[in-house]
Amino acid sequence: MHSDSRAAALVALANDQWGLVTSRQAGTVVGVSPQHLKQIADAGVLERVRHGMYRVANFPYDQHQDLRVAWMALDPARVVWERLDDQVPVGVISHRSAAVLHGLGDMDADVVELTSERRIRLSMPEVEIHRGRLERADWEVIDGLAVTTGLRTVADLAKAGIDTGHLGGVVRDALSRGRVGEDDLIAALADQALAYGHAPFDGRGFLDALVEMAGVPTTAISLAHIAAQHTVARATDPAELAEALKSLLPPGQLLSALERIRTETTIEEALAKVLGAIMQDPTLVAALQNAGLREAFEQARPVLDPATLRAIRAAQRTGGRTEQ
C-alpha cells in the first residue's frame, strides 16, 4: 500500500474511533510503521495525545475525550467495535465516570475511573483502575463506550464508600429516570448497609435514608417506578394499574404532590411518559376514568407536556377512545 493511502486509511480508522488511533492499531490494522506514524504526525495530520495515542488534527471537540483515551489505552491493539462485541471487554468505564455518562447525581469526575477483571497499570496519573468481577449484565454501551449499568454504578459507588450526599443524588436520579428498579437497588445496597450505619443487609433502610437525604418525595419515586415498569412491559390488568395510580396519588392530593416535585424535570417526564402511554390504550383510559382520575388529569395540566395533554383531551372528548 502506498504511504499516502496508508495515511488515509489511518485517518479513516481514527474517524471511526472519535478521531483517535493508537500506535498499536496503526501497525496491526493499517500497517503503518512507527517511523511512518511519526512522519504523519510531523506533517500535522495527527497530533499526539499521550504516549501511543494520536488524534486527528482539528477533529471536532469531544467532551468525553479523556474517557475515550483511557478506555482505548486498556486494550490498545484492538479497534473499539471489536471490543464492544466481547462478552466482557478489557475494562469498562465505572464509578464516578460512569455516573457522569449516565447523567446521575452531581459529582465531579476529575479522575477517569475504570474497572477491569485483570490487573492493568497505565502511566496516566489522571486514571484510576479498579479491579473487580464483571459480567455481561454489568455493562452497557453509552456514546460508544463500555460503561457499567446504572445498578452496577450505584453498587460500585457504595462499595467505594462515597459520601451519602453524593450517593443519594445518584440514587435519586437512577430511580426517577427508571434506570434501576427499586427491588434491584435494595439488593445492590444491602451488602454496604452496615458500612453506612444501617442494620446489616438492610438495603431497604439504606435506600430510604438515601432518598430522604436527596429530598425526593416518596410519591415521586413511586411515580417513576410505575412509569419505568409500564414502559418495560404493558400492564396485563388495566384496572390494577389504574388503582395503583389512584392509591398513590388520589385526585385531591395530586396537584400538591406535583407542586413539590416541579423542579424535578425527570419526574415530570416520567409522569408524562406513563400517562402518555396509557392514553394510547382505550382500555386503560376507561379504567382510569372508572377509578375517578379524570379530575387528577386536569390538575396535572400545568406540568404535563403538550402531546400528553392533547391525548388526554382527545380521550375525554371521545369517552375513552383515542383519536387517530
Side-chain angles (χ1 to χ4, degrees), residues 123-262:
S123 57
M124 302 172 67
E126 70 282 7
V127 174
E128 181 178 357
I129 302 176
H130 304 269
R131 191 175 181 186
R133 183 176 179 180
L134 293 166
E135 298 179 355
R136 182 60 189 89
D138 292 326
W139 67 277
E140 60 185 284
V141 179
I142 298 180
D143 201 11
L145 287 165
V147 185
T148 51
T149 62
L151 182 63
R152 175 62 185 262
T153 299
V154 171
D156 284 343
L157 290 172
K159 186 176 181 180
I162 185 175
D163 66 273
T164 53
H166 283 110
L167 185 58
V170 172
V171 167
R172 171 199 64 206
D173 292 345
L175 280 170
S176 64
R177 297 173 187 177
R179 297 291 180 86
V180 298
E182 197 172 55
D183 293 340
D184 290 336
L185 196 52
I186 290 171
L189 291 171
D191 286 345
Q192 304 305 320
L194 181 60
Y196 281 84
H198 302 281
F201 307 111
D202 183 12
R204 173 81 266 177
F206 190 7
L207 175 60
D208 289 345
L210 290 172
V211 168
E212 181 179 358
M213 178 167 290
V216 185
T218 303
T219 52
I221 294 298
S222 300
L223 271 175
H225 184 62
I226 289 176
Q229 286 193 325
H230 188 75
T231 56
V232 172
R234 296 297 299 235
T236 56
D237 186 346
E240 181 180 340
L241 177 59
E243 288 302 321
L245 286 170
K246 182 181 179 182
S247 63
L248 174 66
L249 290 176
Q253 299 177 17
L254 180 58
L255 184 59
S256 60
L258 288 172
E259 287 296 329
R260 291 197 301 271
I261 61 175
R262 285 180 67 89

Side-chain angles (χ1 to χ4, degrees), residues 264-278:
E264 293 287 343
T265 56
T266 56
I267 301 299
E268 295 173 12
E269 291 167 0
L271 179 59
K273 182 187 298 183
V274 69
L275 292 182
I278 289 170

Side-chain angles (χ1 to χ4, degrees), residues 22-82:
T22 70
S23 56
R24 295 276 299 278
Q25 290 171 345
T28 59
V29 180
V30 185
V32 172
S33 67
Q35 295 78 11
H36 189 195
L37 181 60
K38 183 178 184 303
Q39 291 173 358
I40 295 173
D42 289 344
V45 177
L46 300 175
E47 54 189 23
R48 188 173 181 272
V49 176
R50 64 174 297 274
H51 178 71
M53 185 82 65
Y54 294 83
R55 178 178 183 271
V56 175
N58 300 318
F59 196 84
Y61 170 75
D62 184 348
Q63 63 176 330
H64 299 314
Q65 178 172 300
D66 290 346
L67 297 176
R68 302 191 193 284
V69 168
W71 185 67
M72 288 179 64
L74 291 176
D75 195 1
R78 302 179 65 208
V79 293
V80 298
W81 53 89
E82 289 180 350

Side-chain angles (χ1 to χ4, degrees), residues 2-21:
H2 191 271
S3 61
D4 288 344
S5 61
R6 286 184 175 176
L10 187 63
V11 171
L13 172 60
N15 286 338
D16 288 336
Q17 301 183 128
W18 318 293
L20 299 170
V21 65

